[in-house]
Amino acid sequence: MADYNEIKNDAKTRMEKSLEALKSDFGGLRAGRAHASLLDGIMVEAYGSMTPLSQVGTISVPDARTLSVSVWDRGLAKSVEKALRESELGLNPASDGQLIRIPIPPLSEERRKELVKIAGKYAEQGKVAVRNVRRDALDGIKKLKKDNEISEDEEKRFENEIQKLTDETIKKMDEAFATKEKDIMQV
């Protein structure tokens, strides 16, 4: 039988994972300069299945405005180029055999606003995930009360603790979003 500490620890761990996932998503949104993590979410059609770009080549940052991908298998160069072109990052790769150069264009005001919207969408998805964790935890607490393992006072206290944990995590998500928004809008 799960007790309150297990429920709380599980909720805390899952909320922290949601926050980490959000920060990882933000890492994939570019803020004007080349960064290898920019290509983290790109999947390439390789050997009949979708594979992360990092598993078909080496990503490097030769300078502040350029990324390059050195593809291990020459036959995958076209697939990598296609995946980069079709990503929502607005990139235009140039292939040179096994080396693909990706110039990072300066962001227009319109593109910056678009990226802020995408970041906002990621933040909202993160908050929804945290609220789902809260719901699961509250269901667990209600079950403990129903099974007469805790009193009504304990139930209220535990629900307040879970709500406090939820509020703290959502606040951290809002702060991460505000930082990313500032980073994107900075010229």
Side-chain angles (χ1 to χ4, degrees):
M1 181 52 60
D3 70 342
Y4 169 69
N5 288 328
E6 284 177 38
I7 292 171
K8 183 178 178 183
N9 290 337
D10 177 57
K12 188 174 186 161
T13 304
R14 288 171 58 199
M15 285 182 189
E16 285 168 0
K17 283 181 183 168
S18 295
L19 183 60
E20 288 307 309
L22 176 66
K23 288 180 179 175
S24 169
D25 287 344
F26 282 168
L29 288 177
R30 68 191 190 90
R33 56 192 176 275
H35 200 281
S37 69
L38 187 60
L39 305 179
D40 281 354
I42 295 182
M43 302 295 278
V44 178
E45 173 74 39
Y47 313 114
S49 66
M50 296 308 279
T51 310
L53 178 61
S54 59
Q55 292 181 12
V56 296
T58 307
I59 301 168
S60 58
V61 186
D63 62 64
R65 291 265 173 230
T66 315
L67 287 171
S68 70
V69 179
S70 180
V71 184
W72 299 321
D73 179 353
R74 193 183 224 17
L76 293 176
K78 288 274 182 253
S79 290
V80 170
E81 201 176 337
K82 182 179 180 221
L84 289 166
R85 205 169 271 159
E86 291 175 354
S87 72
E88 59 181 41
L89 297 173
L91 301 174
N92 191 13
S95 182
D96 177 18
Q98 283 181 266
L99 184 69
I100 299 171
R101 285 188 182 79
I102 308 152
I104 305 295
L107 294 172
S108 66
E109 184 68 20
E110 186 181 314
R111 183 66 181 142
R112 288 177 195 278
K113 287 179 179 166
E114 215 175 286
L115 288 173
V116 168
K117 274 186 187 168
I118 292 169
K121 209 178 347 173
Y122 288 162
E124 193 50 46
Q125 288 168 348
K127 290 178 190 178
V128 167
V130 167
R131 290 184 195 115
N132 287 338
V133 172
R134 174 188 63 189
R135 185 196 59 225
D136 293 346
L138 293 178
D139 287 349
I141 292 169
K142 281 186 176 62
K143 186 174 180 346
L144 289 177
K145 171 66 179 95
K146 194 176 130 218
D147 296 346
N148 290 323
E149 291 183 32
I150 58 173
S151 67
E152 255 180 67
D153 290 346
E154 286 174 314
E155 179 186 24
K156 289 285 174 241
R157 186 169 54 88
F158 294 160
E159 285 175 354
N160 288 337
E161 284 180 30
I162 295 294
Q163 184 59 48
K164 188 174 166 217
L165 192 63
T166 304
D167 293 343
E168 287 169 9
T169 307
I170 285 180
K171 184 173 182 255
K172 287 178 189 169
M173 287 181 162
D174 286 338
E175 289 166 0
F177 172 66
T179 303
K180 187 64 181 181
E181 181 179 24
K182 197 173 121 203
D183 193 24
I184 291 170
M185 293 311 285
Q186 184 178 8
V187 180

